[in-house]
Amino acid sequence: DTAVSQTPKYLVTQMGNDKSIKCEQNLGHDTMYWYKQDSKKFLKIMFSYNNKELIINETVPNRFSPKSPDKAHLNLHINSLELGDSAVYFCASSLTSGTGGKLFFGSGTQLSVL
Amino acid sequence: DQQVKQNSPSLSVQEGRISILNCDYTNSMFDYFLWYKKYPAEGPTFLISISSIKDKNEDGRFTVFLNKSAKHLSLHIVPSQPGDSAVYFCAARSNTPLVFGKGTRLSVIA
C-alpha cells in the first residue's frame, strides 16, 4: 500500500490549459509539500501545508494554487500552463513541520507542456 | 544561489569497493543534513541523516560524515553493491523546508 501517492504519473498538455495533480498520503502525517524538479535537476520547495493550513509559499506564480481539503490530501492546480512549467512535480509528507526534515515522497508527476 | 552543492554529477565504482559522495553547503545556519536516494521513475527515499552536533552517523553500509568547519559532508557506502546504483541527493535544513543539491548519479559496476 503506497504511503504517498500522486496522480497522474505523466501529464502531457498544451500551453494555456489548466491541469491538476492529486496527492494523498496514508501515513497520518500533518505536513505535506509540493516540490518541483526542473530541467537542471534541482528539487525546490513550492508549497507546504500543515494540517490543511498553508505555511510556506516559495514565490511561486499565482497560476499555481495548492488545495488541501484535509490533512491527507494536497492537490496542485495549475492555470494557463506555460512551456517553463514542464518539470517533474513531487508531493511529499512529513510527520510534522519540524521533524528533522525526513520527508516521504510520492513517485512524481512528469508534466510536459507543448 | 545554490546553498547545497554536489559538484560531481556522476560517479562510477566497482562492486565491493567504497563509494564516497560529497556535498558542500554555504549556509552556516543549517543544523540537520540528510541523504536521499532516488531510482528512476520513483520519488527520493530517505537514506541517512546527521545532526550538526555530530560528526559521524553510521547505519549498516552507510556512513555520513560532517565537517562543519569546512561546511562539507560526505556519504560513504561500503561495500558498494549494484543495487546502490541510483541518484543520491544531499539535503539540509535550518527551520526551513529541505534544501536539496542537484544529486550525484552513482553507478556500481559488477
Side-chain angles (χ1 to χ4, degrees):
Chain A
D1 196 19
T2 308
V4 181
S5 58
Q6 54 181 109
T7 55
K9 192 161 181 67
Y10 300 98
L11 189 51
V12 182
T13 188
Q14 300 285 336
M15 265 197 317
N17 283 351
D18 304 335
K19 290 292 177 186
S20 295
I21 307 171
K22 294 186 175 182
C23 180
E24 175 182 4
Q25 54 95 4
N26 64 5
L27 298 167
H29 288 170
D30 281 347
T31 309
M32 295 186 73
Y33 310 80
W34 278 108
Y35 275 81
K36 177 181 179 180
Q37 186 179 29
D38 60 22
S39 57
K40 295 182 180 177
K41 303 302 181 187
F42 281 108
L43 264 169
K44 291 183 181 174
I45 182 76
M46 299 174 68
F47 301 103
S48 174
Y49 269 73
N50 189 60
N51 208 1
K52 301 193 298 175
E53 279 192 40
L54 178 67
I55 55 174
I56 291 168
N57 180 344
E58 285 288 318
T59 60
V60 178
N62 56 16
R63 296 183 296 105
F64 291 77
S65 54
K67 286 187 171 53
S68 181
D70 54 62
K71 73 173 194 177
H73 295 84
L74 179 61
N75 303 322
L76 183 64
H77 303 276
I78 316 170
N79 295 324
S80 302
L81 278 155
E82 299 177 356
L83 292 175
D85 297 332
S86 296
V88 182
Y89 293 84
F90 289 98
C91 177
S93 72
S94 63
L95 189 58
T96 67
S97 59
T99 45
K102 186 174 176 181
L103 303 182
F104 293 78
F105 283 87
S107 58
T109 295
Q110 174 128 26
L111 171 65
S112 299
V113 182
L114 307 177
Chain B
D1 177 30
Q2 295 179 49
Q3 297 186 69
V4 177
K5 301 177 188 179
Q6 294 177 257
N7 293 320
S8 298
S10 63
L11 174 68
S12 287
V13 171
Q14 207 79 28
E15 181 180 5
R17 300 286 190 113
I18 184 170
S19 295
I20 300 176
L21 296 101
N22 294 304
C23 177
D24 297 296
Y25 62 95
T26 58
N27 187 343
S28 56
M29 299 300 291
F30 286 143
D31 58 5
Y32 203 79
F33 304 88
L34 303 91
W35 285 93
Y36 279 78
K37 175 179 178 179
K38 184 183 179 305
Y39 292 118
E42 293 183 14
T45 55
F46 170 76
L47 189 57
I48 192 169
S49 62
I50 188 166
S51 162
S52 60
I53 63 172
K54 295 188 174 182
D55 53 21
K56 177 182 173 181
N57 187 27
E58 192 171 349
D59 182 3
R61 297 185 298 113
F62 302 91
T63 303
V64 57
F65 295 92
L66 175 63
N67 182 335
K68 280 193 299 182
S69 60
K71 294 194 180 71
H72 176 83
L73 65 155
S74 60
L75 174 68
H76 292 212
I77 307 173
V78 166
S80 301
Q81 298 173 354
D84 296 328
S85 297
V87 177
Y88 289 79
F89 289 96
C90 173
R93 63 165 284 153
S94 127
N95 243 10
T96 58
L98 287 183
V99 178
F100 285 85
K102 287 174 68 170
T104 295
R105 181 178 301 278
L106 173 66
S107 300
V108 180
I109 305 159

